[in-house]
Amino acid sequence: MTGREFDNKISKTIENLSDPLTYNLVCHEHRLGEPLPSIPKLQRIIELVREIIFPGYFGNTSLRPNTTRHYMGVYVDELYELLSQEILAGMCFECIDEQVGRAKEYTIEAKETATAFIEYLPEIRRKLVADVNAIYLNDPAARNVGEVIFCYPAIRAISNYRMAHKLLELNVPLIPRFISEMAHSETGIDIHPRAQIGESFTIDHGTGVVIGSTTIIGNNVKIYQGVTLGAKSFPLDEEGNPIKGIPRHPIVEDNVVIYSGATILGRITIGKGSVIGGNVWVTQDLPPDSKVVQSRPKEITFTDGSGI
């Protein structure tokens, strides 16, 4: 290939890639002066929250009485600055054309929202302490709570979920989904930030767990790897498009155990105290204290008298 032929091929490719008809659906028009969400900054935000929630486990926090307050102040200050920036970026990202140039106005709202999130951190810690304790008590293999905090993917996923869920409650756009999907990539546990999850939540092992956006989970619920709390169907509008935002995922009441590989679909209720066995498919309501397991295989006898 000659140099001229190479230049022609590359020029033609660039022309094709620059054609708006090929990228209209997947292009974000970035406006000058408006920030975009930053993965490195969001990763640092998650690290900071973990350092604040679990002092002494992450970062360089000293637990000496005369220095803990200093470290907390430093972490909270950095968190406020980064979170304000990322909330602003999420707000600007979802601006419509008529809202061009409102970054300054959004800056005030972003800072107020970041402050509200930081004020909620003690409650996030309280909930995560209960989650850690539940996982430790429910897993005979856990030697201590430190092992659970350091090593268990469930705590990383649940921590991200509780951060993201609060930000969603504060009407922060886009950023909560970033945070939940970062945990999904890291742990294989997919929890939508809009799901409602009660206290003392346990995920054992965790890989392949899926919890849909309108799922409601009560207190003291334990689920194993490969569990899906999903939707059975997607109602369509008059134009044939899925109707978004309607409740379509399960309600799991208090003290329910769901074993590995179970699939629970649709807006059904799993009654309090129920046990769902492994690899079962549930699409109907279950009363409290139900037990659902696979049927036992039937014995097959052959004509020669042997059987399996």
Side-chain angles (χ1 to χ4, degrees), residues 247-277:
R248 61 188 189 277
H249 299 97
I251 298 172
V252 180
E253 295 184 343
D254 297 347
N255 305 313
V256 169
V257 179
I258 306 173
Y259 284 95
S260 60
T263 299
I264 303 173
L265 301 180
R267 192 58 164 188
I268 62 175
T269 298
I270 306 302
K272 181 178 180 180
S274 295
V275 177
I276 310 299

Side-chain angles (χ1 to χ4, degrees), residues 64-83:
R64 295 195 301 274
N66 61 332
T67 60
T68 300
R69 186 179 180 87
H70 165 75
Y71 278 104
M72 286 295 168
V74 170
Y75 289 152
V76 167
D77 187 61
E78 184 181 355
L79 175 62
Y80 171 76
E81 293 298 328
L82 288 175
L83 187 57

Side-chain angles (χ1 to χ4, degrees), residues 42-113:
L42 287 169
Q43 288 174 332
R44 179 56 183 156
I45 286 170
I46 293 169
E47 291 172 358
L48 284 166
V49 173
R50 287 175 179 167
E51 289 165 3
I52 292 167
I53 298 299
F54 304 115
Y57 284 98
F58 304 98
N60 298 309
T61 306
S62 169
L63 293 181
R64 295 195 301 274
N66 61 332
T67 60
T68 300
R69 186 179 180 87
H70 165 75
Y71 278 104
M72 286 295 168
V74 170
Y75 289 152
V76 167
D77 187 61
E78 184 181 355
L79 175 62
Y80 171 76
E81 293 298 328
L82 288 175
L83 187 57
S84 297
Q85 295 171 20
E86 292 308 297
I87 292 172
L88 175 61
M91 296 169 70
C92 289
F93 186 87
E94 294 199 355
C95 285
I96 59 177
D97 292 342
E98 290 77 7
Q99 296 172 322
V100 173
R102 294 183 64 180
K104 289 185 179 180
E105 177 184 335
Y106 286 154
T107 298
I108 297 173
E109 184 178 347
K111 290 182 177 181
E112 291 175 349
T113 303

